[in-house]
Amino acid sequence: MNKTSENKEEGCLGTSFSTKVIRSGFAKPDTHGAITLPVYRNAAFEFPDSKTIAVAFQHRTDLHTYSRISNPTVTNLEDKIKAASEAENVVALASGMAAISNTFLTIAYAGSNIISSPHLFGNTFSFLKSTLSQFGIEIRFVNTDRIEEIEAAIDENTCAFFTEIITNPHLEVADLPAISFLLRQKNIPMIIDTTLVPWCNFDAKKAGIDIEVLSTTKYISGGATGIGGAIVDYGTHDWKSNPKLGALPKPKGMSRFMFKLRSEIARNLGGCMAPDNAYLQSLGMESLELRYNRMSHSAYTLASYLSTHPKVRKTGYPQLESSPYKTISDKLFTGNPGAMFTINLESKKACYDFMDALQVIRRATNLFDNKTLVIHPESTIYGTFTQEMKKVMGIEDTLLRFSVGLEDPEDLKKDIERGLEAF
Ligand SMILES: *Cc1c(COP(=O)(O)O)cnc(C)c1O
């Protein structure tokens, strides 16, 4: 069950982000005094007697029974994320998509609807639009810049509002506090994919987020060492009016959502995080703030430079004066909106020529690797989508997406210049 532990170390050295994450302790002391929690690769856990094993199964103690349900190394990552986010409960899963699918399968039911931005990560769009619709769940796409559009889409069967914290590749930032004000009046949970901005620069609770879903593959892992995802529950939503969750028990320190997720959905779907990945991602958590600030600073430097370059038609980055989202981005992310930026060139061919000339920047999908990456989203991530879907999602074939890594920004700038001379 809920394995989040008493954290004995918490609070002893102040509350700065990195200190909190690095000092976050183990649920139980390690027998050998290991300073980093070892990887528990085992599937099963044994018990001293039949009574204890029965208690572990029936009363949901903090004892581990089987690694699909919980595992000490995975719990340790969950505890680090809990320390970082100050959430009520965290579940780590196999991937960002596992976090997203488990969340919606916990709350949505046949006849219900989800209100969402159409500008979503490709698989999320496909999950909502294709997979969930086969179970009688309707997706209502809205322009999240228009609160009245969100309000008009709400009815008695709306089970959630969803968007991404910075949409990818459009780089829109919704006014979450304003949307939250509306949703709280209507008792609708706000679920946000926060893959693009970690907690060191963003106070999710203050923004009114009830549940965060994220791909830990990105910023958290650091160096793209493995796939993972997490569901972060702030315990702020009252689930009583959700027909699927309303009658469930509400254990202490756990929402009805979390109860359903932990005791049924996550273990039935079986998308548990592998202990090896949890180990690597726990290490990533410790250098997160350092990496994020460096990447974000380099991204701003490069985006500013490109925004006045004659061969670049448009540069997208929320911190640029030209972005319509600068004010809200400054407010939500303390002027530090991360490592992703985009440029538009004159044609698809120019994008290809640009990419093919690069020598430092890698041609790859993924975000927030230590290496700087570039991709042409229209022909890759959205390559199998129909023209009509691309239109709904606003995917342009003149757009390149960058994820800025930890290399020297001067070297990146020279490489970008090499690309811009190639067409
Ligand atoms: C990568 C990504 C996902 C999916 O995460 P995986 O770990 O690849 O399953 C979801 N949302 C966003 C915004 C992403 O960037």
Side-chain angles (χ1 to χ4, degrees), residues 95-98 100 121 124 164 168 193 195-196 215-218 227-229 367:
S95 65
M97 285 316 301
I100 291 165
F121 177 74
T124 308
E164 293 173 5
N168 165 13
D193 180 331
T195 302
L196 268 72
S215 167
T216 59
T217 316
K218 314 289 167 54
I227 302 283
L367 293 165

Side-chain angles (χ1 to χ4, degrees), residues 385-393:
F385 285 43
T386 62
Q387 286 305 330
E388 193 203 333
M389 269 165 116
K390 283 182 196 173
K391 208 166 158 214
V392 173
M393 298 184 73

Side-chain angles (χ1 to χ4, degrees), residues 398-413:
T398 54
L399 183 112
L400 288 171
R401 184 188 83 185
F402 292 81
S403 170
V404 181
L406 298 176
E407 303 94 334
D408 190 317
E410 272 307 309
D411 293 331
L412 296 172
K413 192 171 147 198

Side-chain angles (χ1 to χ4, degrees), residues 39-103:
V39 185
Y40 284 85
R41 279 205 191 91
N42 55 308
F45 299 82
E46 70 171 340
F47 290 82
D49 51 59
S50 47
K51 197 169 161 213
T52 320
I53 190 168
V55 166
F57 272 78
Q58 292 165 27
H59 297 287
R60 307 186 176 98
T61 64
D62 68 348
L63 298 170
H64 301 282
T65 57
Y66 187 66
S67 286
R68 172 163 46 74
I69 295 166
S70 72
N71 169 284
T73 316
V74 178
T75 300
N76 188 243
L77 172 66
E78 291 169 349
D79 286 349
K80 276 200 186 301
I81 296 177
K82 212 177 131 174
S85 62
E86 298 181 355
E88 185 178 77
N89 247 296
V90 176
V91 179
L93 291 167
S95 65
M97 285 316 301
I100 291 165
S101 53
N102 275 263
T103 296

Side-chain angles (χ1 to χ4, degrees), residues 20 23 54 104 111 157 177 212 236 306 320 359 392 400 414:
K20 265 192 304 197
R23 291 293 294 178
F104 286 115
N157 291 315
E212 285 182 67
T236 41
L306 288 166
L320 293 179
Q359 289 174 17
V392 173
L400 288 171
K414 276 186 220 141

